[in-house]
Amino acid sequence: MKTQHRRRSRERRLFRAARPLTAVAALTIAGLALAGCTGQGSGGGGGDETDASGKVTLDFWNGFTGPDGPALQKVIDDFNASQDGVEVTANIMPWDTLYQKVLTSVAGNDGPDIIAMSASRMPQFASQGLFEGLDDYYTDDAHDSAALATAAVDASVYDGVNYGVPVNFTPMMMYYNKDLFSAAGLDPEAPPTTWDELATMVPKLTVDENGDGKPEQYALAIADHETVPVMASLLWGTGGGITNAEGTESTLADPASIEALDFWVSLIRDQKATQIGMSGADADKLFQTEKAAIEIVGPWMTTGFDEAGLNYGLAKPPAGPSDEAVLADVVSMGLPAGTSDAKKEAAYEFFAYWNSVEGQTTWSDGSGFPPNRADVADKVTASPYPAIFGAEDVTSVSKTLLPGIAAGGPIMETIFNPSVQKALNGEGSVQDIFTAASAQVQAELDK
Amino acid sequence: MTTTSTAEPRVRAERPDTSPPRRRRMSVTGRRSLTAWLFLTPTLLILIAFTVYPMVQAAYLSFTDYNLIRAAQWVGLDNYVELLSDDAFWNAFGNTVLYAVVVTPVTVVLALAFALMLNQAFLGRAFARTAIFLPFIVSLGIIAIAWAFLLDPNIGLLSHWLSLVGIVPEQGWLSDPRYAMAAVMVVGVWKNVGFYMVIYLAGLQSIPVDMYEAARLDGAGVWQRFRNVTLPLLSNQTLLVSVLALIATLQAFDQIYVMTRGGPFFRTETLVMLVYRQGFQELRFGYASAISFVLVLFVFVLSMVQFGYLRRKQVTY
């Protein structure tokens, strides 16, 4: 008892001695904090305008980390060599890293000069004031914008203003494994063209050899998160969709949408058409390892499938009962709000080069992506895929998802995808789940 | 920096001053605390710059509408009011509490069990100690990726082994709403248990051997010795470990972010995950700050309750 008491009183004495200094420390903390609070909200592009040789330098952030990266670099190198006023440097990083970094870096005045991102994400960022309007790019005839695919140009329009210039415009196509088709007794040259045909093939293509309830092979590889929104595009097949064309009203609970969802949910759950709960990368892996017979995905996977030695065919995704459902993905380039005139002019030069006949031929040849303009299709000879993905009957029916809707990202990630997961896991009826989801979508649209 | 340069000469100047004993004694106390403060300065500066300042900043932001680009707009208590009726918040709150309520006691009990086991001498003890401690020092990101591979339904080793004994994961442990939370919990426990085990080991080794001898002479068996000697004398460690473990579980983020991203359908979304989603995905940094402040308050209150309760059980010897 005695020792304890003594220790406590010594502690108390030490604390008393420290008190004035504690006060000083507290004041310092408060002072620093107050100073910090006032320095809020500066923004806009920054950095040096020109390099040592007097060239305007442009830092171009994008997510072409795959085999398409070298093709992108080739176009940039060609552009840099074609003139001596502008120097573009590509900064390639994974897309999710780019989305995370871009806001903080632009806010910290240390951001990119050109930002590439999925056009479906652009309205959200544009509505927050990240991007500079680029309407004057399109009104300048020197840029030859009339040659570009309309859907590619329109994808980056938000609230009547165009905030981007297309990098690529890509329909998703159906890859199917010919060997697995043959093994299932199906004609490898006759992939399904309609939903009904697909439904009759699913029982043959989904194989549970040992009868343990987990198929060794699935008919389809469809992801429900972290992926291009193929699942959402399937709603178009019955004339449904997530919102109306204007993006003002949710149509997720409309009979047409429910019909499509019912069809796919029952195909996946009851017939085990695909493994549930896959991310985009999981689905790619499933198809690549020949554990799935069909995947609907973009041309960026072609090289990977070739390297895996797959014997695959390419076709237009099967059509729904009342409409074709072909999803197109557009990546656009935008400029941060507050970009200087000099940089803007330099960037426009690069955008025009990118979308020129020359630039697009190099890009499509190297990447396998279809060109953004129809008049170069016959010049693309190095790869057969741009012609298939860019075929008139495909591009004419393909659509982008939720174009120009600021809440598009949150709607997909926090409402649509989780609802699909719920339905696939049997956490309620399709009707109930998507009626509730529809109300949430409406709330997002009304914000 | 300025503190250091002005203070140091004063300390040195006082040293030759050996005159009246009374003044000298006071200056010793002053010098002592000054030395202490000098040693503390670098840490304090870092704490102020990277902890206190961001916290104050976040507190301010929680009363604003802020998207990182435009200047923050003052909205008063709006964010906090919105929280109360936000299903996503209550879902994340529930998940956080569930995670903490399961993971904290399991971690503490397992850490104690491992410590008791590894306090005995046996062949391979050093290896076992290392093996249990190792996950703690490996980056959680890497651990989570490794576990995601192990649990993959198609190529996962663990899934394969489980299928050999008839447990067949049809759609992957991490994407099945029934198992996803359990899977991230297992990884959470596995990751941290080694650290708490080391704290317990240190505690076990500081217990005087004569206490056990005395207990044995009094006829106490193994269980009684554990119950009446070990456990009470470890109460300091238990206090530390359970407070640390609770705070860590309430802040669970990294392994969940890498393993499930909060899915399937928000089943594993914790409060910190929600903060991240609201901030970096929905660009609502003010709202995200408000959520983090509710979490801060929650952690503070719980820690105080825990501290108060376990403090009373403490023994000094």
Side-chain angles (χ1 to χ4, degrees), chain B residues 84-299:
Chain B
L84 295 177
S85 57
D86 185 351
D87 292 342
F89 170 76
W90 289 114
N91 171 61
F93 187 81
N95 287 339
T96 307
V97 170
L98 176 68
Y99 185 88
V101 161
V102 175
V103 172
T104 311
V106 171
T107 312
V108 174
V109 170
L110 265 184
L112 178 59
F114 280 134
L116 288 171
M117 233 151 54
L118 297 178
N119 201 33
Q120 317 293 322
F122 62 91
L123 190 71
R125 180 171 78 161
F127 173 79
R129 280 187 183 178
T130 314
I132 295 172
F133 187 68
L134 203 64
F136 180 72
I137 50 171
V138 179
S139 144
L140 234 173
I142 292 168
I143 281 177
I145 293 172
W147 272 92
F149 266 112
L150 285 173
L151 294 169
D152 188 289
N154 300 310
I155 58 164
L157 197 59
L158 210 57
S159 302
H160 175 68
W161 286 340
L162 287 169
S163 72
L164 294 181
V165 292
I167 303 168
V168 183
E170 196 189 328
Q171 59 172 87
W173 301 100
L174 298 177
S175 57
D176 190 315
R178 287 167 297 174
Y179 307 122
M181 187 52 124
V184 294
M185 281 173 173
V186 167
V187 176
V189 171
W190 176 81
K191 155 90 182 160
N192 287 328
V193 75
F195 174 66
Y196 303 123
M197 174 195 75
V198 168
I199 297 179
Y200 267 130
L201 266 176
L204 280 175
Q205 277 157 18
S206 72
I207 298 176
V209 189
D210 44 352
M211 296 265 189
Y212 288 107
E213 275 165 15
R216 203 172 290 144
L217 286 176
D218 288 342
V222 176
W223 169 250
Q224 280 175 313
R225 287 204 298 276
F226 171 73
R227 178 76 187 76
N228 298 317
V229 180
T230 314
L231 213 51
L233 293 186
L234 280 179
S235 56
N236 290 344
Q237 281 73 29
T238 304
L239 169 70
L240 178 68
V241 163
S242 37
V243 172
L244 284 182
L246 180 74
I247 294 175
T249 52
L250 290 173
Q251 293 177 340
F253 174 77
D254 6 20
Q255 85 262 32
I256 298 175
Y257 178 76
V258 182
M259 289 175 76
T260 65
R261 303 248 162 169
F265 48 92
F266 309 117
R267 275 291 168 87
T268 56
E269 187 172 73
T270 57
L271 281 174
V272 185
M273 284 289 307
L274 181 65
V275 168
Y276 174 81
R277 172 157 73 88
Q278 289 293 346
F280 287 91
Q281 284 177 359
E282 312 218 354
L283 315 181
R284 301 185 65 200
F285 288 89
Y287 192 57
S289 301
I291 300 169
S292 45
F293 257 86
V294 172
L295 179 64
V296 166
L297 198 73
F298 188 58
V299 170

Side-chain angles (χ1 to χ4, degrees), chain A residues 4 21 29 32-33 36 40 100 103 107 124 127-128 214 272 275-277 285-286 414 421 425 427, chain B residues 37 48 52-53 57 67-70 153-154 170-171 175 177 257 265 267 276-277 281-283 316:
Chain A
Q4 243 186 356
L21 273 163
I29 293 167
L32 270 174
Q40 278 305 313
Q100 283 164 25
L103 268 179
Q124 188 194 8
S127 72
Q128 304 290 327
K214 180 187 185 299
K272 296 197 181 340
Q275 187 168 306
I276 298 172
K285 205 162 57 193
L286 205 69
T414 65
Q421 290 171 340
N425 279 296
E427 303 258 331
Chain B
W37 277 104
I48 290 167
V52 179
Y53 169 62
Q57 180 88 325
N67 71 356
L68 269 183
I69 301 169
R70 295 204 193 102
N154 300 310
E170 196 189 328
Q171 59 172 87
S175 57
Y257 178 76
F265 48 92
R267 275 291 168 87
Y276 174 81
R277 172 157 73 88
Q281 284 177 359
E282 312 218 354
L283 315 181
T316 346

Side-chain angles (χ1 to χ4, degrees), chain A residues 23-38:
Chain A
V24 172
L27 277 176
T28 320
I29 293 167
L32 270 174
L34 284 173
C37 288
T38 50

Side-chain angles (χ1 to χ4, degrees), chain A residues 30-122:
Chain A
L32 270 174
L34 284 173
C37 288
T38 50
Q40 278 305 313
S42 61
D48 293 332
E49 296 283 295
T50 53
D51 67 0
S53 58
K55 281 185 180 179
V56 178
T57 53
L58 297 173
D59 187 13
F60 176 23
W61 284 18
N62 64 77
F64 293 95
T65 49
D68 39 18
L72 177 106
Q73 189 61 50
K74 176 87 171 61
V75 182
I76 293 173
D77 290 343
D78 289 352
F79 169 73
N80 287 339
S82 73
Q83 41 73 48
D84 46 18
V86 187
E87 178 84 18
V88 176
T89 321
N91 193 342
I92 303 180
M93 62 192 91
W95 287 115
D96 57 342
T97 311
L98 188 148
Y99 292 128
Q100 283 164 25
K101 275 176 73 173
V102 74
L103 268 179
T104 37
S105 58
V106 169
N109 251 343
D110 190 25
D113 301 303
I114 303 173
I115 309 163
M117 67 170 68
S118 169
S120 63
R121 293 288 290 261
M122 278 189 123

Side-chain angles (χ1 to χ4, degrees), chain A residues 360-380:
Chain A
Q360 281 299 298
T361 312
T362 312
W363 166 243
S364 292
D365 263 340
S367 68
F369 278 84
N372 292 339
R373 45 196 294 163
D375 56 348
V376 295
D378 54 341
K379 295 187 174 65
V380 181

